[in-house]
Amino acid sequence: MTSLTSRQASASSPTAAPKVNEVVGVPAGIGATARRARSDAYDTWLARLLPPRPGVALLAVGGLGRRQCAPYGDLDLVLVHSGVAGIDELAAELWYPIWDAGLRLDHSVRTVAEALSVAQDDVKVALGLLDARLVAGDPDLADTLIRSATDHWRRTAVRQLAPLRESTTARWQAHGELAFLLEGDLKEAAGGLRDVGILRAIAIAGITDALRPAVHAAHLRLLDTRDALHHQVGRRVDRLLAQEREGVAALLGLRQTALGGPDTGPTAGSAEPAGDGDALLRRVAGDARTVSHALHDAFRAADRLRSGRRRGADGRPLRRPVARDVVEHDGELVLARTAIGARPDPNLSLRVAAAAAVTGLPIARATCEWLATYCPPLPTPWPAEARAALTTLLGAGAGLLPAWETCDRYGLIDGWLPEWTRLRSLPQHNPVHRFTLDRHLVQTAFEASRHTRDVDRPDLLLLAAFLHDIGKGLPGDHSTVGAPIAEAMAARIGLPAAEATLIGTLVRLHLLLPEVATRRDLADPVTISGVAEAVGDVTTLDLLHALARADAAATGPGAWSDWKGRLIAELVARVRTTLDTGAVPEPPAPDPALVAGPLPVVHLTGDRVAVAAADRRGLLATVAGCLALHRLEVLAADASTVDGRALVECRVQPRYGLPPEPVALSSDLRRAVGGDVSVTQRLRGRALAARGAGAEPRVVWHRDAATDAVLLELRAADAAGLLYRVTSALDAAGAQVRAARIATLGGDVVDVFYLVGGWPSDDERTRLEAAVLAAV
């Protein structure tokens, strides 16, 4: 297909979209009937645009070829000819009215031979021609191309599916898995509409029954979801963003009842309830899983046809034992014949899953169905063999994810862990998370397998990683709520009482290290002693450290940074020293370069900004404002006084990715801390202009959390200059800030300020709160 011209690109902008219905008369609506009606309207309009001409045919491919036109979809057209003269002029007469109508157009002009030649070299074109349908023109010419393209595909499909699988895998890696993404692409992600097209091509080739009834039903629901998404947004879009879920759900009839569950519509005589976005996400996840699983099965069937079965000297297919009662047969894992004939073993399904994860081989569909039907439930507590198989499965690395998903598709996980039903496809309403809860738990176990050599009990690390968020979706703090649930599950799995209690402790404390590291002063003895008391021993500390790293990696890129990793490592090192020696490490000495030499002193090194100036109030606010002026985010700030010098040290990162010019930053810092009014006016004007938005900010006080200070915690929307405004307000209110810690959570921040002195009175706290909230 040729690329868009500049005229086409401008005509296909969202503002031009309303012209489509006016010129073409395309009906709106959601569902199969509406999609077919749109296709019929396009057919009628396009047929009028093509002048009668022998040897010319207009074919629709893509959504129009399949009669599945989305409300704001594009048109994929092929103008086929038999070598007639003036075809370029004829094509221009056809394409320009389409662009002028505000339609997106992907088009090509080819002879039958040219089209087949391109299809032979490009598997995507070959798949596109399988959807080709005559819209107008010469029916014999169109029939020749359609029949030839289909015959060519059937002859070469097994060979062409190898490169198609490679490109499909690359697409999956780029777009992720629709079943587990909180904001997935309905078309391009694994399990999306693009994959249904591949399944249809495999079915046309006769390789396998790829389009089973369950796949067909899932496909129709995904098409309906995309229709509703187009209507909700008012333009072509395939990514289902969180802010669109409720509107799309309402258009699909998935509405919240008075009890919070999904309904099929409003109750007569009552206000229309909101759409149930969570129900929509779970439905999309189930449909995507159906499509994805079918495609994996179809690709394996094609692989077997291409490579042929490996046979022994007796001519029978080779079978290779890989685990007890599990053998490899034709590239898949199946049960040994003795296992099928014997009394079913409750541990068998876990052994098969562990073997699949370790070997990276898929479990045959018939084997999964047999296990789901005949494998008896596990006793309570689990036998040691089942517990060992679960540990092997969770620690298998990359093989865990596909093996777990296969077992989940056939209901085996629910048999092992009844709690899994509640967790499956559960959305996480937090912008830093990229996965649904079930995938996040499995992903965390996968990430934890990278750290098993760093801890004394790798088995407990894997299980704690898998259970750490088990309390999500229930009322209350998920760490506190989840701890007894995880402990009970660990006991049911067969862990001794002390180890089950440790699992509960790890779940309850799994956020302790990252929260303390980013929100507390690590040089304060109270911080270190508090963590040491909560953790209790080095074994638990190491497990929590590994769990924190695995949890962050499984959450998403916004949950981790090198700076956060260094902070947590520093906290762990200090707490380890305390646990080993019983003494809290001394705080680090001030930088010698800051306590000697003429003032002011400004040092810029990597992510560290250090300033020394004559002792005066408001120095921290001045430095924070100057950093905001240069578009630097402050991650941590410390203020102290040594021998009459005021010292401020900050850890920073560029707000927009590009570091500031160091000479200009150093110059502004020197002038600002020296009292230059012009710099102060510049930073006030800019920083104060960039205020955050969102939910109402909140102040929380913490008592006995520091040796010489009380903690004021501000929870608010992130904004440039926020630290400057708040520290300025506290300074103006008479409070002395000796340290600040800034933690960014998506679009929000949790900023903690160490205010020197004892616990303020009620009136004083009210006054300081008002000053801070007014500054936000």
Side-chain angles (χ1 to χ4, degrees):
M1 301 293 179
T2 57
S3 61
L4 299 179
T5 67
S6 58
R7 174 174 178 177
Q8 176 190 354
S10 62
S12 60
S13 64
T15 56
K19 292 180 62 179
V20 175
N21 289 336
E22 298 170 11
V23 176
V24 185
V26 177
I30 299 169
T33 301
R35 288 189 289 272
R36 183 170 289 272
R38 281 192 288 272
S39 300
D40 291 342
Y42 280 128
D43 284 358
T44 301
W45 182 67
L46 291 170
R48 293 199 299 265
L49 297 179
L50 183 66
R53 189 82 172 271
V56 177
L58 179 64
L59 276 65
V61 295
L64 181 57
R66 297 186 299 270
R67 296 187 183 276
Q68 294 170 351
C69 291
Y72 290 93
D74 53 4
L75 295 182
D76 297 315
L77 300 174
V78 181
L79 187 62
V80 186
H81 64 99
S82 57
V84 299
I87 191 64
D88 291 339
E89 292 76 8
L90 179 63
E93 293 179 18
L94 178 62
W95 305 146
Y96 278 106
I98 297 174
W99 293 329
D100 290 338
L103 290 166
R104 297 175 183 267
L105 174 63
D106 197 356
H107 62 88
S108 64
V109 181
R110 290 172 181 144
T111 65
V112 171
E114 290 170 343
L116 294 176
S117 176
V118 175
Q120 187 172 359
D121 297 332
D122 189 335
V123 67
K124 293 182 180 179
V125 174
L127 264 61
L129 289 177
L130 296 178
D131 298 325
R133 181 175 58 82
L134 176 65
V135 173
D138 189 335
D140 293 333
L141 185 64
D143 184 61
T144 298
L145 176 57
I146 294 171
R147 283 189 297 100
S148 299
T150 303
D151 291 344
H152 176 266
W153 171 252
R154 286 171 175 161
R155 292 194 309 271
T156 63
V158 173
R159 173 176 57 81
Q160 294 203 72
L161 281 178
L164 177 61
R165 186 172 190 173
E166 291 180 5
S167 63
T168 300
T169 301
R171 171 169 54 82
W172 291 343
Q173 291 173 346
H175 294 278
E177 299 173 81
L178 180 57
F180 307 113
L181 293 171
L182 294 171
E183 295 185 334
D185 190 305
L186 296 171
K187 184 177 182 180
E188 302 293 346
L193 295 171
R194 183 79 73 187
D195 285 351
V196 179
I198 299 175
L199 284 170
R200 184 168 50 254
I202 293 175
I204 290 173
I207 294 173
T208 183
D209 59 335
L211 289 178
R212 296 188 289 271
V215 175
H216 179 69
H219 181 212
L220 291 179
R221 286 190 292 268
L222 288 174
L223 287 172
D224 289 350
T225 303
R226 186 177 65 174
D227 287 356
L229 179 59
H230 281 204
H231 280 296
Q232 172 70 16
V233 179
R235 58 184 174 85
R236 177 190 173 186
V237 61
D238 294 321
R239 189 180 177 196
L240 183 58
L241 297 177
Q243 62 263 29
E244 311 297 351
R245 273 192 225 130
E246 288 191 2
V248 172
L251 290 171
L252 293 173
L254 298 172
R255 301 184 183 277
Q256 296 177 355
T257 65
L259 298 178
D263 198 358
T264 57
T267 304
S270 65
E272 185 173 289
D276 192 333
D278 288 1
L280 171 64
L281 194 63
R282 285 189 158 184
R283 192 178 87 168
V284 168
D287 293 336
R289 279 175 152 166
T290 298
V291 172
S292 185
H293 201 72
L295 185 53
H296 282 292
D297 280 349
F299 275 142
R300 289 200 299 271
D303 289 343
R304 288 193 294 270
L305 283 176
R306 185 174 60 255
S307 60
R309 293 189 172 185
R310 292 185 298 162
R311 299 181 181 274
D314 58 358
R316 301 175 65 182
L318 289 176
R319 295 168 66 90
R320 178 178 66 91
V322 297
R324 178 187 161 197
D325 296 326
V326 187
V327 299
E328 177 190 354
H329 174 78
D330 225 8
E332 296 180 324
L333 295 186
V334 300
L335 295 177
R337 297 184 181 93
T338 54
I340 296 176
R343 182 178 180 181
D345 181 356
N347 308 317
L348 183 56
S349 61
L350 270 167
R351 286 206 305 275
V352 173
V358 170
T359 63
L361 294 172
I363 308 172
R365 183 169 66 178
T367 299
C368 291
E369 293 172 345
W370 190 95
L371 291 171
T373 303
Y374 298 109
C375 194
L378 287 159
T380 301
W382 287 13
E385 182 183 2
R387 191 165 60 256
L390 177 63
T391 301
T392 301
L393 173 61
L394 294 178
L400 164 64
L401 303 175
W404 189 274
E405 173 61 10
T406 297
C407 293
D408 197 18
R409 288 298 298 160
Y410 288 92
L412 301 182
I413 308 295
D414 292 349
W416 308 336
L417 305 168
E419 296 86 354
W420 194 250
T421 302
R422 179 180 64 82
L423 307 174
R424 185 180 292 110
S425 303
L426 186 67
Q428 302 196 76
H429 300 289
N430 189 309
V432 300
H433 277 279
R434 58 178 171 172
F435 292 132
T436 53
L437 179 59
D438 54 341
R439 176 54 182 272
H440 173 68
L441 295 176
V442 180
Q443 188 76 27
T444 306
F446 162 68
E447 299 291 348
S449 68
R450 305 176 189 271
H451 304 290
T452 51
R453 297 184 182 181
D454 301 335
V455 297
D456 293 336
R457 290 298 304 270
D459 55 333
L460 298 185
L461 170 62
L462 294 169
L463 187 58
F466 176 66
L467 297 177
H468 74 285
D469 277 348
I470 196 74
K472 283 189 174 178
L474 300 174
D477 178 83
H478 76 278
S479 300
T480 304
V481 172
I485 299 174
E487 185 172 343
M489 294 177 69
R492 190 173 76 239
I493 289 170
L495 291 183
E499 295 179 2
T501 300
L502 178 54
I503 291 293
T505 299
L506 294 173
V507 171
R508 179 170 52 83
L509 299 180
H510 76 272
L511 295 177
L512 175 68
L513 297 182
E515 287 187 349
V516 170
T518 56
R519 302 182 188 179
R520 296 293 184 268
D521 181 6
L522 302 188
D524 194 315
V526 171
T527 300
I528 305 304
S529 59
V531 174
E533 182 179 355
V535 171
D537 57 72
V538 173
T539 296
T540 304
L541 177 66
D542 289 339
L543 288 169
L544 286 172
H545 189 196
L547 178 55
R549 288 176 284 174
D551 186 17
T555 297
W560 192 255
S561 65
D562 291 341
W563 164 244
K564 187 173 183 179
R566 291 197 300 270
L567 281 178
I568 294 177
E570 180 184 346
L571 172 62
V572 169
R574 289 174 175 271
V575 172
R576 183 188 302 278
T577 299
T578 301
L579 292 172
D580 286 340
T581 66
V584 178
E586 291 293 328
D591 185 350
L594 297 180
V595 296
L599 297 176
V601 179
V602 175
H603 283 176
L604 308 178
T605 308
D607 62 355
R608 176 175 173 266
V609 175
V611 175
D615 189 14
R616 65 179 179 83
R617 296 185 65 87
L619 184 63
L620 175 58
T622 299
V623 172
C626 196
L627 296 176
L629 179 66
H630 287 265
R631 296 179 174 84
L632 285 172
E633 292 181 333
V634 179
L635 303 174
D638 291 287
S640 59
T641 302
V642 177
D643 297 333
R645 290 176 174 237
L647 311 181
V648 174
E649 296 188 60
C650 299
R651 295 289 178 173
V652 299
Q653 68 181 10
R655 175 169 282 270
Y656 301 112
L658 294 176
E661 169 56 45
V663 174
L665 174 59
S666 179
S667 175
D668 278 350
L669 281 170
R670 290 177 183 276
R671 293 164 57 200
V673 301
D676 190 318
V677 178
S678 64
V679 178
T680 306
Q681 290 174 341
R682 282 172 55 211
L683 65 89
R684 282 180 179 172
R686 260 198 220 178
L688 288 173
R691 294 179 179 269
E696 289 295 319
R698 180 186 174 202
V699 169
V700 178
W701 293 87
H702 298 276
R703 192 172 190 172
D704 300 327
T707 54
D708 61 347
V710 295
L711 273 60
L712 182 152
E713 181 180 287
L714 170 65
R715 303 174 185 177
D718 190 15
L722 180 62
L723 178 62
Y724 165 66
R725 295 198 302 274
V726 174
T727 51
S728 296
L730 288 170
D731 180 62
Q736 181 181 349
V737 180
R738 74 159 176 82
R741 294 293 180 271
I742 288 78
T744 303
L745 307 172
D748 292 338
V749 293
V750 178
D751 291 354
V752 178
F753 301 90
Y754 281 70
L755 308 184
V756 176
W759 185 249
S761 66
D762 292 347
D763 290 343
E764 181 69 4
R765 292 201 308 275
T766 300
R767 187 177 68 84
L768 292 176
E769 280 185 32
V772 168
L773 294 176
V776 174

